[in-house]
Amino acid sequence: QVQISESGGGLVQAGESLTLSCTTSGLTFEDFAMGWLRQIPGKAPEGVSCTNWNGGRAYYTDAAKGRFTISRDNAKNTLHLRMTNLEPGDTAMYYCAAVRRSHGHAWCSNGAVISSAYRGRGTQVTVST
């Protein structure tokens, strides 16, 4: 059984930073491309950043470029998202997600792949002005 768990969210002020972490079990980590999605109430989840099976390639949405950094540690089956210079528009529930590695590093730019991803219960990020 695939289990994904996120942590690290919280309430911060604009301009501050957070690091989200994700742990997984029940899957062979290096068989999966990983990523971070976010969702606000009433909207479909959207990709934030994602990476290929070994972290050698990463994709960032325009909103995340230059502010967020994704990383993974295959030895520890963990994924991280370092978020800096947070903005109120970043407020959302953030989900760690996994898809088969054949989807490549930019899988989170594809809504159909996003909808098929394994994901955790999420961690809330709230950015105040």
Side-chain angles (χ1 to χ4, degrees):
Q1 180 181 0
V2 175
Q3 292 187 322
I4 297 174
S5 179
E6 305 91 341
S7 63
L11 172 62
V12 297
Q13 293 187 326
E16 294 185 337
S17 300
L18 280 174
T19 297
L20 306 184
S21 296
C22 168
T23 58
T24 68
S25 63
L27 54 81
T28 302
F29 195 64
E30 56 266 30
D31 284 347
F32 286 81
M34 300 294 298
W36 292 94
L37 313 175
R38 68 186 184 187
Q39 187 174 22
I40 60 174
K43 296 194 70 176
E46 63 177 15
V48 176
S49 177
C50 41
T51 184
N52 68 335
W53 71 277
N54 67 355
R57 298 190 71 187
Y59 167 86
Y60 297 92
T61 61
D62 287 343
K65 282 178 185 175
R67 300 189 299 128
F68 295 0
T69 303
I70 192 170
S71 61
R72 65 185 289 165
D73 184 339
N74 283 6
K76 298 180 179 179
N77 291 3
T78 57
L79 181 76
H80 303 282
L81 185 70
R82 175 66 176 168
M83 305 187 294
T84 64
N85 194 21
L86 283 160
E87 303 168 351
D90 296 317
T91 295
M93 184 71 78
Y94 283 71
Y95 297 92
C96 176
V99 297
R100 293 288 179 182
R101 60 187 272 180
S102 58
H103 288 293
H105 75 287
W107 66 266
C108 63
S109 64
N110 184 319
V113 180
I114 287 173
S115 65
S116 71
Y118 294 105
R119 60 177 182 174
R121 294 186 174 183
T123 186
Q124 178 68 37
V125 172
T126 303
V127 184
S128 65
T129 55

